[in-house]
Amino acid sequence: MLTTSHAFGGFSVNDLDAARRFYGETLGLDVSPGEMGVLQLTLPGGARVIIYPKPNHSPASFTILNFVVDDVGVAVDELNAAGVTTKIYDDDELPTDEKGISRGNGPDIAWFRDPAGNVLSVITE
């Protein structure tokens, strides 16, 4: 059994300044400098994630963060208005509409990428 006081996640980016702007300004999340040159991202609900620079960064090919929203369509419109592209998948196995929203295969969900290419989503529960 692991005894611990808390846990947090982390992911890499290739440009910490671009990540700070994207997560802090574009998405409006709480981003602050952390120890050892990382960023600390505080998510809605209080969970913390560190964002760390990695010179040989490879974007995550899976969804690293899911943002729960009341209406994916409204969230997609807000993201698109902020310059974020949400139509990142276009295949028969994962059909999405013209805005990049997958409907009818579980909860409504739309994926987008951060400046480092990591995959994020807005999703209903």
Side-chain angles (χ1 to χ4, degrees):
M1 174 76 151
L2 175 68
T3 303
T4 182
S5 64
H6 70 282
F8 62 91
F11 60 89
S12 71
V13 297
N14 57 354
D15 184 333
L16 214 53
D17 289 331
R20 180 183 299 112
R21 287 189 304 274
F22 180 77
Y23 287 97
E25 296 172 19
T26 303
L27 299 185
L29 300 172
D30 181 14
V31 179
S32 59
E35 295 180 22
M36 298 175 29
V38 303
L39 295 177
Q40 181 171 293
L41 176 63
T42 303
L43 299 172
R48 290 181 299 142
V49 177
I50 62 166
I51 304 172
Y52 57 93
K54 186 175 179 188
N56 59 347
H57 165 77
S58 292
S61 60
F62 53 88
T63 308
I64 62 167
L65 292 173
N66 295 284
F67 297 98
V68 177
V69 296
D70 291 331
D71 186 318
V72 170
V74 170
V76 163
D77 289 343
E78 292 170 350
L79 287 167
N80 293 164
V84 176
T85 300
T86 52
K87 179 108 174 118
I88 66 170
Y89 297 121
D90 190 19
D91 60 51
D92 294 335
E93 291 184 32
L94 191 60
T96 59
D97 66 16
E98 67 281 350
K99 291 183 176 183
I101 302 171
S102 174
R103 302 177 192 273
N105 296 315
D108 290 352
I109 185 169
W111 295 271
F112 57 102
R113 297 183 187 276
D114 72 4
N118 296 310
V119 178
L120 314 169
S121 84
V122 286
I123 186 169
T124 57
E125 281 191 317

